[in-house]
Amino acid sequence: MSKPLPSASGHFRRSYADEFRLIETRLAKTSAAAFALVLLVFPFAVSPFYVDLATQVFLAAIGALALMLLTGIAGQISLGHAGLLAAGAFTTGILYKEFGAPFWVTLPSAALAGALLGVVFGLPSLRLRGLYLAVSTLALHFLVVYLGGEYETRRGFSTGILVDPPVVFGYEIYAPRVWYFVLLAAAALTLLICINLMRSRSGRAWRAIHSNETVAEALGIGIARYKLLAFVITSAITAMAGALFAYYRGFVSIEAFSLYLTIQYVAMIIIGGMGSLLGALLGALFVTLFPYVIEGAMAALPGADRLAGSVFAVNYAAFGIVMILFLVFEPQGLVGIWRRVRNYFLLWPFRQTALGERP
Amino acid sequence: MTVPLLAVDKLEVVYQRAITAIQGVSLKVSEGQIVAILGTNGAGKTTTLRAISGFLGLDDARVTEGTILFRGAHLENRPPHEITWRGLAIVPERDKVFPNLSVAENLAVVPRRRGTADGRSMEEVVYHFFPRLAELKRREAGLLSGGERQMLAIASGLMCAPDLLLIDELSLGLAPVAVGKLTESLVQIRDELGISILLVEQSASVALRIADYGYVLENGRVVLDGDAQRLLGHADIQEFYLGHAGGSRRSYRDVKQYRRSRRWYG
Amino acid sequence: MQLAVNILVLAAIYALIACGYVLIYRVSRVLNLAHGELMMLGAYMLVATASAFSMSPVMAVVIAALMSLAVGGMVYLFLMRRMTGEMVLAAVLTTVALGILIRGAVILIWSAQQYHPRAMLGWGNPVITLPGDARISLYAALLIMATVVVYGGLFLFLRFGRWGMRMRAAGQDPLLAAQRGINLHAVFALAWGLSTFTGALAGILIALDSGLDSTMVMIGLKAFPAALVGGLDSLAGALLGALIIAAAEVGVIRFIDPLLADVVPFIVLIAMLVIRPWGLFGTREELDRV
Ligand SMILES: Nc1ncnc2c1ncn2[C@@H]1O[C@H](COP(=O)(O)OP(=O)(O)OP(=O)(O)O)[C@@H](O)[C@H]1O
Ligand SMILES: [Mg+2]
């Protein structure tokens, strides 16, 4: 998508130490602390329904962050995200069902399975670009889903695999609030990993590959290695998200990993804003809450009970429309809107215009 | 004085919202004239022609200042096909033919505007001027030689039945003999069909031989213009474009200084 | 013998759908992932016209097909036109979003129940017995004929038709085409219209043969490997690709595992992407263009 607007924050880095800091200004520090506090208090202040909702957002955020690394940062298009989630969930489900494997075995195994699958998904990227890559990952999605379905039918779990809550140090993770904090921690950890990856050599290599592969290669960046690395990291994180999903739901079924799930994740990074980790978070929030908002809106409408049967269809249609609106009118997503609003207030009463554009 | 066919006034074009390629370029083409644009590489000749014939949104180039009037109507930032319909066709510098279409198909894809005044179809006219193309009718355009391709490109431009034909790099890839023939045909085309021509040409001697009027572009600005005869005799042209050494060698910088002052003081 | 007939019918279905992918890709380099949904929409149009024109069933079919032509053109003019000049990926994702929108809208309008347009039109579906004791339903036979006619028509149109030539020209070099006075929007809209029309034709015939619900989308999606295996920019390739995919699918169902049916096309696709990513008849340069 197009380049992000420059920020007009008025804050400049004045020493090398500044460059390494994660949180740069005092304002940023206070707002981050306030936000953290809100997150900590949240589950105790609201009903279990909202706790579950927040937990879903965290889960989605992990997957969205991972996809953002791959597509938004490294520029490798993947339409196989649901397949990766399925791989993680099924690794967990199978290991648990067949061998009664505990939490600390299944999770790393899911990550490993994801990483291996990442190599498989990534191999085409060494030869294919853009559209063709998207297509190959799409095909792999169907393959993974088929394998999962095959396992279900072969072993007679045609309705899905039941997974008991994980037990850590003799403590069963079951209560919604406990899950809230576990997944909050997981999402925060993923965010931290992603931020640091972006600042590392790999992050710079990915952005170089994204902006121009040929030039990146000419600059001596090992394209193949970094592309594969992007696929592997993304897939490993996504598969872990899949494993957590399996435990959280206590249930794994291939039905849950349709193409629509992939589209939802792709929508998260589009709606959030390509190339920005903040965008991934915003997108995850937006897309996860969207169906609930629609449902709420429809319930508020007159004749709500008549519409009840079509909630699902309205959801689809509305989701399609929102995606189109973002693609057409706001390709930089929610982050783009946020940046514009911020710049507007920072620069007020002046206005920012690009060169060659009449104000 | 009558309205000129094409009047470009103080044109400015910006690429990618950042690179200003031409600035304050003004030029005129009157009915029935052949006008030449000269200039070194990167001077902005192609940019000027493409601005006149319409950029496609894909290019991220925009006309930011100035006006382009064709028969008194504005053309700035109009879509290219509309400009062609109004009677202004271009023979571009690169990618001038459809490589996978045959010669005949290359000519046939052009939407019909009208035939010539004497009732011949444009196809007949084109084959009359470029008999070589008639022999190659069924050949795929991608398999043509560079010179044949250039002929086909000019022929396709003529198929649009324009009032004004823009030609970028007229003699690109043509044998000197072919250039001679081609320039003759162009004069003939102008005389018989009443098509005015605005051409870009690296070789000043070729261009000024057939042109009525010429403009010299440098760094995106018009630095010199005048009747072809006058330009041919001009010392700067002699020195920098025709390669005849002037009496006293001046440094490039002095020349620029001199030109600039002459532009300002007339 | 029956196996050959089954393969032929399935190949005809895939080919008829796949040419829609090829048409749009060839002209505008966009992969239309909403093609399956547009095809389904065409079939639902028939449901609408079938109740409106119950007097003259043929009329209903013709009007449904023509409406699809218009729908395709409008999709371009109102939506995809805005995506020209954007990155290819953005355009493709727009079609994905459009697909979701159509899916939702179709269920909203027609609900998720199954329809039998053939019964609505009061037509039968006699089984024809072919020499060699193979059997084929009337509408399956019609489908094969439609595929032959559509491909023949498209070949002639692209080869000799003035607008066909323009479509080829625009596909090769849009800027030059515009400079030669070709209205790109008209050409692209035409490509979208034709693509949707052929897709809808397939959808209508399938619905007449075996009924209609929203799972039809999957057939559309499975036809897309056929287009890619043959080469995304080649019509002849789509024909051959459809045959390969159909043969693989029917073979696997018959001899290995019916559950594999929905993945076989994608397995073939992966194999093709490994061996020869630009497809059997495609041009190699296409790989770098997108
Ligand atoms: N697509 C583009 N994006 C950015 N800058 C461009 C683009 N096209 C041309 N330019 C710049 O604009 C300036 C003028 O280029 P132009 O092609 O008009 O030159 P020219 O006079 O035709 O040269 P030549 O004789 O070599 O064909 C150059 O400095 C060039 O680098
Ligand atoms: Mg040039």
Side-chain angles (χ1 to χ4, degrees), chain B:
Chain B
M1 213 190 113
T2 54
V3 185
L5 187 61
L6 175 77
V8 176
D9 193 38
K10 301 197 190 68
L11 193 66
E12 178 179 290
V13 173
V14 176
Y15 279 107
Q16 290 154 22
R17 301 187 171 196
I19 307 163
T20 308
I22 58 172
Q23 212 167 25
V25 167
S26 303
L27 52 87
K28 264 196 206 121
V29 182
S30 304
E31 199 102 38
Q33 249 187 345
I34 297 182
V35 176
I37 301 181
L38 305 173
T40 49
N41 295 125
K45 308 180 295 291
T46 301
T47 305
T48 309
L49 286 204
R50 294 189 54 204
I52 298 170
S53 71
F55 293 109
L56 203 63
L58 295 168
D59 242 50
D60 209 4
R62 289 174 59 183
V63 175
T64 48
E65 295 276 343
T67 52
I68 304 167
L69 292 178
F70 182 66
R71 294 192 179 290
H74 283 270
L75 291 187
E76 308 95 63
N77 294 322
R78 305 294 312 156
H81 65 92
E82 211 182 292
I83 292 173
T84 307
W85 288 351
R86 290 178 186 220
L88 200 153
I90 187 171
V91 177
E93 182 179 15
R94 294 176 297 194
D95 306 325
K96 48 186 78 173
V97 297
F98 300 108
N100 292 354
L101 268 58
S102 71
V103 168
E105 286 173 339
N106 257 286
L107 298 177
V109 291
V110 176
R112 293 298 120 98
R113 236 163 56 92
R114 55 179 163 81
T116 51
D118 54 6
R120 285 184 297 173
S121 78
M122 250 2 238
E123 237 134 359
E124 286 171 58
V125 174
V126 159
Y127 287 132
H128 164 71
F129 281 114
F130 303 101
R132 174 99 187 106
L133 291 181
E135 296 164 26
L136 296 168
K137 254 184 187 176
R138 309 227 156 275
R139 181 84 54 92
E140 254 185 44
L143 304 177
L144 296 182
S145 81
E148 289 161 350
R149 221 179 271 214
Q150 179 75 350
M151 282 182 216
L152 177 57
I154 295 176
S156 311
L158 284 177
M159 283 302 292
C160 304
D163 301 320
L164 174 62
L165 185 62
L166 312 180
I167 307 178
D168 203 348
E169 304 288 358
L170 174 69
S171 63
L172 196 72
L174 290 174
V177 189
V179 174
K181 269 200 212 143
L182 185 63
T183 49
E184 267 169 43
S185 322
L186 285 184
V187 173
Q188 238 180 328
I189 286 167
R190 189 260 313 261
D191 294 342
E192 284 184 26
L193 306 178
I195 294 177
S196 316
I197 296 169
L198 175 61
L199 57 88
V200 163
E201 171 58 48
Q202 294 288 354
S203 157
S205 57
V206 169
L208 294 178
R209 197 164 62 228
I210 58 166
D212 304 305
Y213 202 86
Y215 293 85
V216 180
L217 241 61
E218 207 153 285
N219 279 330
R221 291 161 202 276
V222 175
V223 290
L224 192 63
D225 67 274
D227 289 333
Q229 290 313 314
R230 211 191 110 221
L231 286 182
L232 263 177
H234 197 279
D236 286 352
I237 298 278
Q238 292 257 328
E239 185 174 350
F240 289 102
Y241 292 95
L242 297 176
H244 310 310
S248 56
R249 273 241 166 265
R250 288 166 299 205
S251 80
Y252 182 66
R253 210 173 135 175
D254 289 340
V255 175
K256 296 271 285 195
Q257 194 58 43
Y258 156 73
R259 278 185 188 155
R260 208 170 294 141
S261 53
R262 203 200 29 223
R263 239 184 104 63
W264 288 118
Y265 306 123

Side-chain angles (χ1 to χ4, degrees), chain A residues 1 127-128 131-132 135-136 139 142-143 146 150 260 263 266 270 310 312-313 316-317 320-321 323-324 327-328, chain C residues 25 79 82 87 89 92-94 96-97 100-101 104 107-108 221 224 257 260 263 266-267 269-270 273-274 277:
Chain A
M1 320 271 142
R127 258 183 105 180
L128 306 176
L131 218 63
Y132 283 82
V135 165
S136 74
F142 282 107
L143 200 59
Y146 163 74
E150 191 66 11
Y260 185 60
I263 295 172
V266 172
I270 293 170
S310 50
F312 147 82
Y316 259 59
I321 290 175
M323 247 177 109
I324 288 175
L327 279 163
V328 173
Chain C
Y25 182 80
L79 179 62
R82 297 171 173 280
M87 277 175 55
L89 174 65
V92 173
L93 292 177
T94 309
V96 170
I100 302 249
L101 170 58
I107 297 175
L108 262 187
L221 206 55
F224 146 72
D257 176 8
L260 263 170
V263 255
F266 295 100
I267 294 176
L269 171 62
I270 293 172
L273 285 173
V274 171

Side-chain angles (χ1 to χ4, degrees), chain A residues 274-318:
Chain A
M274 275 288 181
S276 149
L277 294 178
L278 176 63
L281 299 179
L282 292 177
L285 182 71
F286 186 100
V287 172
T288 311
L289 297 189
F290 187 77
Y292 295 96
V293 172
I294 292 285
E295 204 172 332
M298 282 181 62
L301 244 56
D305 37 321
R306 240 184 338 106
L307 292 172
S310 50
V311 169
F312 147 82
V314 172
N315 233 326
Y316 259 59

